[in-house]
Amino acid sequence: MAAGANAPVLILPDMARSLGVGTATATWMVTAFAWGMAAGTPLLAALLRRYGFQPLLRLSTALVLGGTALVAVAPWLPVALAGRVAQSLGGAGLVAAAMNLAGNARRMGVISSGFGVLGAAGPLLGATLTDAVSWRPAFGVSAVAVLAVPVVARYTRGTKPGGGGFDARGAALLIALATSLILLPTAPLAALVGALLTGALLALHIRRRPEGFVPVQLLRSPLFLISAVLGGALSTTYFTLLFTVPSLLRDRADWSKGAIGTGQLVTLLTASALSWLLAANAARMGRAAVRGVLVTVAAAAILTAVFATSGPLLLLAAGAAAFTATGANATLSLHAATATTDTRRPTAIGLFALSYQLGGAFGPGIATLLVLG
């Protein structure tokens, strides 16, 4: 899923020409995917908690394959967007399953580093497939994820669902709030009004139903709130630099598309490996030290991207941002999960993932405002 999410990074102009739209408009394919991951992760985590792994895996597989088929034949951008959303919703279910199966920081580090490694390969893989065939196979990379489903389905066959009711109104209000927030970079005024309105309605709903889709226990936990907000901020930094650094490398260092893709691949692979080391040692370091490392490295990445003019330094900025985002996903998600009971663990992970995935939507929008527009 990570490879499929990042596959469009270097091929947005090719896709835009094929669909007859501008490059800035084509970034909606990235935003739509991020929206589906952000909205779908807590929604499908709730499905997992109530019904168990088997229904979740079946639904997720159907969404990924159906969305991939739709993108493959889409003649217009709206149709492609629908397929991309279906892909990401299915991917959100698979991610929710993986994160809930992890169980400890080392395993979560492996999963998060896997996101980073395959995400690092995504831009170059997308560019290679586009040059060899077209941009459409690049958007089909996500479908490879379903090859793992039969193994996971056998492994989880004996697990029992947690049961409980489903707070449909709370889920709808949270998704509406997330949608408004995602639209902030592109339609600030309307999105702000929508966010304030849906936020107020969600707050009233939580008061009436404190154990619903957004448990009030989590909102009162400083550990959960710090983890979720910081995870979202670091993810936003990473995805912003992921889409701006290629343009900066072209403009400031005159690098070719192939050199940019190869450089990003090596840099992000290295960053992902280092993030696993952080995750593996997180328990020994302590929560405050882990957060300090992540914030310091992220600040250095932003400053480097703003002022650097050489190619290696710009790649270093992208790598530092990837390290912080991947490390945050591995460590802060477990911090968030420990803020509640075992039965609420899928909910906590899903809501943390929502905050983290919002960065995948904010980043391309901010990049469009900065360099792509």
Side-chain angles (χ1 to χ4, degrees), residues 1-2 37 41 44 48 56-57 60 88-101 108 111 115 329 349 353 357:
M1 298 311 302
M37 291 291 289
T41 302
L44 291 165
L48 169 62
L56 174 72
L57 293 173
S60 299
S88 61
L89 288 173
L94 300 180
V95 169
M99 294 178 74
N100 278 278
L101 288 171
M108 188 65 82
I111 293 172
F115 290 164
N329 197 29
I349 291 178
Q357 294 294 343

Side-chain angles (χ1 to χ4, degrees), residues 6-7 9-11 119-131 257-266:
N6 291 350
V9 169
L10 298 175
I11 61 172
L124 187 59
L125 178 61
T128 301
L129 288 172
T130 300
D131 291 340
K257 184 168 71 173
I260 293 170
T262 303
Q264 275 196 320
L265 175 62
V266 174

